[in-house]
């Protein structure tokens, strides 16, 4: 790690002012950041530590409106264990948190940090390789290289995948996020957080330099809402997803009245599949229906040399998530 | 004690640092150069911090980039926690922070100021080792032993949190600790024995 100045803000205003300075990065727990700094992929001069701003940024609360407010620096373990998540409407979010990394990491890593983490592509994350997304080379090396864990959908000139467990269920739940940049406070739809055209030279998220995510808001789920999150992986525990799927269904009188399907770990961004979700509307849950939805979720996929298994496994995971949500 | 400074720190990089304010309240000390209305900042040079380890406050000199793992091992000579992957993927460096297991290799020492830390050394401080340690020996729950201190800390957290953990709970709580010798079964036996003995929560 290169030496840096460690900034301890006393307020959000101070943090966002400090965060706007050149060569400065914001830090949650630092799980992703320290990892990248050890590899010298990121060499900031200043790190602004957000963890001391507990009053402003930490904790989970159910607001008077029924909306769930998740503070940006809430740990993944705190989110998973919060009583508000023991609810079929939020089961997908809880499962995604519980399946993330290891107990040690869930006890530290923040919710915002998980959503804003850098891709795990082994070319970008190794100093030895010079690829375009890392800003160190002319092309995406994974596209023609070892791409077992890379994208099968939605890629342009870079086949990295977005690794966050928490992003797909939050998208499925129509979550929003609040940010602060200087004096400017904004609240936007979660879909705005990820680039519409995830090119090699586009960052993982659309935040401006120094813009602090302060909270994530999950609107009060409609009656009959159920969510699920499933992922495929190579190990039973403590592994990254090879494919993931978060679903939301609203059941009314045995029929599906509203639905969303969001894929994770298969594209450079967490990927909502509205056309697949639309097939569920007005229908009763069935294996045949879920098969159709799974096919539609992966429609238009372009697998690479070593990852067409993701289509087979990924569709099974979509079906499994739908089964769980409608069981 | 002092963390060796052979990791690229120089006087020049220290002087390049921005405003450094000394604060006593949090146990942090640094060269004082207060600038009004600017946030407190430390480094990039070396400075002394106080860490609360195994119930005792201990001073250690670190750089802002020093990890908790390096501060414990190199600065405080608490070498029970092991540096294996140094990337959060093995659990060899597991210590408890406010009772919860964390991987010290991905925590900045600065972030640990003011937190209560427990290392494996705390389990052998008195005349009799902690029941969990005794049960690790009785159950032969180690082979090469390198993952063992981390395993012990995750096991301790499991016992403290669950009392009498089920097999599934043990599997979850140990899932961040890798053992290449495959001692998991015996580690779970050691946890269960300790739980049955009713000594999991303390010495
Ligand atoms: C061994 C290992 C296994 C893992 N397995 C999984 C897994 O299975 N699934 C999964 O989803 N993740 C996994 N992770 C990733 C882990 O969940 C993330 O690294 C972690 O959540 C990051 O959170 P953090 O608080 O440490 O973020 P940091 O490292 O502090 O920050 C990450 C990024 O977000 C920015 N940032 C953080 N907070 C804010 C904020 N409030 N506002 C604006 N910007 C911010 C930082 O500037 C930085 O760029 C794993 C990590 C490791 C090391
Ligand atoms: S050394 Fe910290 S997890 Fe491996």
């Amino acid at each position: 790690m290169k030496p840096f100045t460690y900034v301890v803000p006393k307020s959000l205003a101070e943090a966002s002012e400090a965060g706007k300075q050149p060569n400065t990065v914001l830090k949650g727990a630092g799980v992703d950041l320290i990892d990248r700094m050890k590899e010298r992929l990121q060499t900031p001069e200043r790190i602004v530590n957000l963890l001391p701003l507990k009053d402003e940024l930490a904790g989970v609360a159910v607001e008077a409106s029924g909306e769930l407010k998740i503070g940006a620096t809430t740990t993944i373990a705190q989110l998973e264990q919060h009583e508000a998540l023991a609810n079929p409407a939020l089961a997908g979010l809880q499962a995604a948190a519980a399946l993330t990394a290891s107990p040690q990491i869930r006890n530290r890593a923040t919710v915002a940090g998980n959503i804003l983490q850098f891709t795990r592509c082994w070319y970008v994350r190794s100093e030895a390789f010079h690829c375009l997304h890392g800003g160190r080379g002319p092309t995406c090396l994974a596209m023609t290289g070892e791409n077992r864990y890379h994208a099968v959908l939605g890629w342009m000139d870079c086949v990295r995948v977005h690794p966050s467990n928490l992003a797909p269920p939050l998208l499925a739940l129509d979550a929003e996020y609040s940010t602060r940049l200087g004096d400017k406070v904004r609240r936007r739809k979660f879909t705005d957080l990820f680039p519409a055209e995830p090119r090699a030279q586009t960052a993982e998220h659309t935040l401006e330099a120094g813009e602090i995510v302060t909270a994530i808001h999950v609107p009060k789920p409609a009656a009959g809402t159920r969510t699920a999150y499933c992922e495929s992986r190579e190990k039973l525990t403590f592994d990254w997803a090879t494919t993931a799927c978060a679903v939301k269904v609203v059941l009314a009188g045995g029929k599906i009245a509203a639905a969303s399907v969001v894929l994770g770990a298969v594209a450079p961004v967490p990927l909502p599949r509205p056309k697949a979700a639309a097939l569920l509307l007005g229908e009763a849950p069935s294996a045949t229906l879920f098969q159709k939805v799974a096919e539609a979720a992966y429609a238009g996929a372009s697998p690479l040399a070593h990852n067409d298994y993701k289509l087979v496994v990924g569709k099974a995971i979509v079906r499994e998530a739908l089964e769980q949500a409608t069981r | 004690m002092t963390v060796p400074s052979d990791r690229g720190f120089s006087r020049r990089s220290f002087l390049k640092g921005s405003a450094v304010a000394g604060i006593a309240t949090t146990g942090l000390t640094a060269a004082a150069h207060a600038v009004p209305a600017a946030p407190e900042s430390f480094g990039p040079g070396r400075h002394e911090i106080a860490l609360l380890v195994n119930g005792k406050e201990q001073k250690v000199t670190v750089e802002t980039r020093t990890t908790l793992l390096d501060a414990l091992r190199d600065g405080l000579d608490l070498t029970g926690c092991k540096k294996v992957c140094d990337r959060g993927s093995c659990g060899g460096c597991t210590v408890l922070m406010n009772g919860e297991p964390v991987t010290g290799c991905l925590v900045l020492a600065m972030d640990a100021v003011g937190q209560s830390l427990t290392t494996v050394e705390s389990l052998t401080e008195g005349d009799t080792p902690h029941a969990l340690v005794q049960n690790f020996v009785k159950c032969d729950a180690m082979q090469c032993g390198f993952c063992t201190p981390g395993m012990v800390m995750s096991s301790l957290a499991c016992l403290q949190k669950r009392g009498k953990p089920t097999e599934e709970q043990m599997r979850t709580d140990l899932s961040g600790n890798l053992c290449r010798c495959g001692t998991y079964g015996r580690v779970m036996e050691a946890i269960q024995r300790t739980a049955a003995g009713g000594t999991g929560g303390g010495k």
Side-chain angles (χ1 to χ4, degrees):
Chain A
M1 257 190 274
K2 285 243 171 90
F4 56 85
T5 301
Y6 176 95
V7 181
V8 187
K10 285 185 291 296
S11 65
L12 258 184
E14 256 186 27
S16 89
E17 203 41 54
K20 280 195 301 188
Q21 304 308 312
N23 262 319
T24 302
V25 296
L26 302 167
K27 182 186 80 61
V31 171
D32 188 41
L33 203 57
I34 295 169
D35 188 304
R36 279 187 280 142
M37 287 171 63
K38 283 184 180 177
E39 298 289 339
R40 300 206 170 211
L41 304 178
Q42 188 142 18
T43 51
E45 274 173 30
R46 266 173 308 278
I47 285 188
V48 180
N49 185 23
L50 297 175
L51 297 185
L53 303 175
K54 286 206 170 64
D55 291 346
E56 294 93 332
L57 298 178
V60 180
V62 182
E63 313 251 76
S65 61
E67 184 176 276
L68 183 74
K69 182 178 173 191
I70 307 165
T73 62
T74 306
T75 66
I76 298 175
Q78 284 161 356
L79 177 68
E80 179 205 342
Q81 286 153 25
H82 196 273
E83 56 189 16
L85 266 73
N87 169 352
L90 300 175
L93 185 56
Q94 189 180 44
L99 287 169
T100 302
S102 66
Q104 288 93 323
I105 289 170
R106 294 194 293 274
N107 285 334
R108 278 296 291 169
T110 70
V111 170
N114 180 272
I115 294 155
L116 301 169
Q117 65 178 295
F118 195 66
T119 182
R120 300 302 300 192
C121 170
W122 45 30
Y123 291 103
V124 199
R125 286 192 87 111
S126 165
E127 202 186 9
F129 293 102
H130 302 277
C131 79
L132 189 54
H133 185 51
R136 302 189 303 273
T139 56
C140 170
L141 296 174
M143 201 173 292
T144 51
E146 289 296 334
N147 47 37
R148 203 154 27 123
Y149 302 118
H150 291 75
V152 295
L153 277 165
W155 52 270
M156 303 178 79
D157 56 349
C158 164
V159 296
R160 68 183 183 273
V161 300
H162 197 283
S164 167
N165 274 32
L166 300 182
L170 287 168
L171 278 161
L173 284 159
D174 296 315
E176 300 185 353
Y177 64 105
S178 293
T179 67
R180 166 128 186 194
L181 179 65
D183 296 335
K184 207 163 60 178
V185 175
R186 292 211 278 171
R187 180 168 164 159
R188 277 160 288 173
K189 291 246 166 242
F190 227 68
T191 38
D192 289 354
L193 187 52
F194 305 105
E197 295 198 346
R199 295 182 182 279
Q201 282 157 304
T202 320
E204 266 71 0
H205 54 75
T206 56
L207 297 178
E208 288 177 46
E211 187 170 10
I212 300 172
V213 172
T214 53
I216 290 143
H217 315 271
V218 179
K220 185 182 180 187
T225 302
R226 306 176 64 163
T227 62
Y229 172 89
C230 294
E231 63 179 41
S232 55
R233 28 159 69 179
E234 291 179 344
K235 292 195 300 170
L236 264 181
T237 55
F238 196 10
D239 202 4
W240 300 89
T242 52
T243 77
C245 179
V247 299
K248 179 185 80 177
V249 294
V250 179
L251 281 167
K255 296 265 169 71
I256 298 168
S260 13
V261 174
V262 183
L263 301 180
V266 292
V269 290
L271 202 64
R273 303 301 275 164
K275 284 189 189 150
L279 296 175
L280 293 160
L281 299 183
E283 303 287 337
S286 77
T288 345
L289 175 66
F290 295 165
Q291 178 66 40
K292 260 193 351 203
V293 176
E295 291 295 335
Y298 279 87
S302 338
L304 307 163
H306 308 293
N307 71 0
D308 57 356
Y309 76 93
K310 284 198 176 195
L311 305 191
V312 184
V313 177
K315 288 175 200 173
I317 290 294
V318 175
R319 295 204 308 267
E320 175 61 23
L322 287 165
E323 295 281 357
Q324 280 188 18
T326 53
R327 200 168 281 158
Chain B
M1 285 195 218
T2 297
V3 176
S5 64
D6 57 357
R7 297 192 178 98
F9 164 69
S10 70
R11 181 168 166 78
R12 198 175 129 263
S13 56
F14 175 74
L15 292 173
K16 272 193 339 204
S18 66
V20 176
I23 49 162
T25 44
T26 53
L28 292 159
T29 50
H33 177 252
V35 173
E40 288 160 350
S41 63
F42 298 88
R46 291 202 274 163
H47 52 274
E48 194 177 72
I49 59 173
L51 294 178
L52 183 62
V53 191
N54 302 331
K56 285 190 291 281
E57 193 169 279
Q58 309 208 40
K59 298 241 157 59
V60 55
T61 300
V62 297
E63 294 184 50
T64 49
R65 61 180 166 159
T66 305
T67 61
L68 174 59
L69 175 62
D70 286 341
L72 291 171
R73 287 183 56 85
D74 302 348
L76 296 174
D77 207 24
L78 292 168
T79 53
C81 46
K82 299 286 180 272
K83 190 186 235 176
V84 188
C85 70
D86 206 25
R87 295 292 185 279
S89 341
C90 74
C93 62
T94 303
V95 295
L96 307 190
M97 190 185 272
N98 306 323
E100 300 282 4
V102 302
T103 41
C105 66
L106 288 185
V107 176
L108 292 178
M110 296 293 293
D111 285 359
V113 172
Q115 318 294 321
S116 169
L117 305 164
T118 311
T119 71
V120 73
E121 284 83 359
S122 68
L123 303 181
T124 50
E125 265 172 359
D127 294 337
T128 337
H130 189 288
L132 177 63
V133 173
Q134 294 184 34
N135 285 323
F136 259 71
V137 176
K138 276 190 207 134
C139 298
D140 200 7
M142 72 214 71
Q143 190 172 313
C144 83
F146 212 71
C147 73
T148 309
M151 253 335 156
V152 168
M153 294 318 281
S154 286
S155 304
L156 180 70
C158 172
L159 281 163
Q160 288 176 343
K161 182 165 152 193
R162 321 264 193 192
K164 287 201 158 84
T166 63
E167 171 150 352
E168 201 188 324
Q169 289 170 335
M170 289 190 284
R171 283 174 184 273
T172 304
D173 293 350
L174 294 175
S175 64
N177 293 75
L178 303 192
C179 172
R180 301 220 37 188
C181 311
T183 58
Y184 304 103
R186 291 180 178 203
V187 171
M188 292 198 280
E189 242 177 83
I191 297 176
Q192 270 171 330
R193 261 194 199 229
T194 313
T199 45
K203 283 197 183 178

